[in-house]
Amino acid sequence: MVIVQQSGQISRGHNPLTGLRTNFWYDQLGFLAISANVANGNFESTEPVSMTGVSYYPRLYYSLVGIIANLTGLPTVVAWNLTSFTLQVVAVAAIGMVAASILGRWWAAFFAPLPFFTGTFSYVHDSTSWYTSLQSHAVLWGPYGVLFSNNAETAGICIGIVALSSVIWVWSCDCSKRTRAIVTIASSASIGVLSSFQTYSFLMFTYCLVYGTALAVAVYVKECRRQVILGGAFLVIGVFLFGPHLADRFGQLPTLFCGLLPAFPGIIYAVFRTKWLVAVAGFAAVATAAPQVVFTLSGIFSRDPFLTYRVASNNHLGIFAWESAVSASAIAIPLFVIFLLSLRTRDKLATTITLTALLVLPFLAVNDLWGANAEPYRFWIEGFLVGGIALLFSLLRILKGASDYLTSPRACIRLKSSIVMAVAVTALFWGASLPDWINSMRDSEMQASWNPFTERESAISEMARKGTMDSSDGLIVTDGCIDNRTAKVTSGSPFAYYHLGMAWPSQKDEIDNVISARADGSLDLNSMDQANVVFVLTDSACSVNLGDKYKDNLTLLASDSYRLAPGEVVLGSQEKAGQIMLWRVVD
């Protein structure tokens, strides 16, 4: 699966391990900055590019990537890709093993990659497209659109898949109570850890686990079915009615957790039915999630200006549109068909899995309608992959359970026809969605890659390191021909820049002025002084020569020559070689 997902890179002569995808890479460079800091020994929770201020952004995964780079000596980008690919292999292996276990056939494991290539019928609107654009910057695309970045969301999805697959396996196989308890608690704890990886993947798998448990009670335990269903339905109505008011008064994060309330009638019954195992697993998840949740809440309650801005900026990202229904049909329609078939064959596990996917995933994806307003399209995208995996497991479960019907001479003809129809519908919709994935492989922008190991990038990194590695010694500003985001990733040095939606530096207004002046081809020396920006990095091939323009204000510290690699360019220049020069502002 991983090799096929990277086939677009390989066919273009890119090395998937050493390159970084440039499509939608703005956020990825900010995340990589955290890894670069940790790789160079800086573990502080600061705004990653300037290394000043405070960052409440979940950083555990990026710190782990940095630690791996530090321990192995690998470049940060290589550690980033290698760690992600490894987690993807583990996730697909987990799906494959559970698939083989469910069907009882080893070859069923080879169905595991299929959910990762499911498309969203975007090509129906545009024959060359692989994603559907909605309002603002919201988009709908298949799993290959969320996995290509190799960031913490990718990692969180992979770990969540392993955790949920393990829970499904341990509760569907004939194993000991001890094994069931250990796997359930460990899986719950690993989902809790995702709060320190990435918020949306943490919430996605938390909702699936909590609601899946509650729905399992309703499906398996007839005595309490009515109470669980009616109590949950009543609370769902309450969430939609009172959620927006709760969000206005207490904020986004408390509202998201209140979205779990409808599952509690089922959870309460599950606690007693499992002799407190569900309670212990829940405690494990809460304990591992608590550090990041408490840290974030502390920032919210202290009215951190960045967090206030971040919540207010989550507008017009909903998916409540006909395009969303069309895009989801590749998963939703086969899931519904299999759900109906599971009722007929009385397969309780398949009913639980399909019902969880059909109810929980849409509920999260329309969270703007019940007040949370937490980038609904992101939940839609992640839910699309989770739904595909649920579809695979439930279909295999139906096939396994129906094997007696299919081989019996007295089998019901209608049931045989229903099973064949379910398989045909699933295959038809999956096959019809494949052009999206093919288009993504052909998309030159999607497959574009940045090489951080050219002579020029190496010279930029070397000169930045000669300037400073500590924000207390001063920050670096670059001319318009040097990308300070990529320079940060390769060097780990502090730069006068930040990612607006990630964290803010301590001298935000002054750095805003420095960034604005840089865009105009000049230096704001007064703001640089106030923000402790004391180094300037320039490229001699650049059409704007800051060294000459500010020769009375700068002194040259060092320089390094380079030749451009094939396809590499410097803005505003036709030169094939140049020098990267490090300057210091004269006191």
Side-chain angles (χ1 to χ4, degrees), residues 405-409 411-421:
Y405 292 105
L406 294 174
T407 56
S408 171
C412 175
I413 299 299
R414 287 185 179 179
L415 184 57
K416 284 184 175 182
S417 300
S418 297
I419 294 172
V420 171
M421 183 191 71

Side-chain angles (χ1 to χ4, degrees), residues 512-575:
D512 280 338
N513 293 336
V514 173
I515 294 172
S516 179
R518 172 185 175 274
D520 293 333
S522 60
L523 299 175
D524 185 335
L525 296 171
N526 183 52
S527 294
M528 288 170 61
D529 180 58
Q530 295 178 42
N532 194 30
V533 182
V534 299
F535 298 98
V536 181
L537 204 59
T538 65
D539 189 333
S540 64
C542 193
S543 58
V544 177
N545 193 319
L546 294 179
D548 289 341
K549 189 174 181 179
Y550 293 93
K551 60 184 178 181
D552 295 333
N553 305 101
L554 303 176
T555 180
L556 183 64
L557 297 181
S559 64
D560 195 2
S561 301
Y562 69 83
R563 293 190 63 82
L564 291 178
E568 194 174 20
V569 296
V570 177
L571 295 176
S573 173
Q574 300 297 321
E575 300 293 331

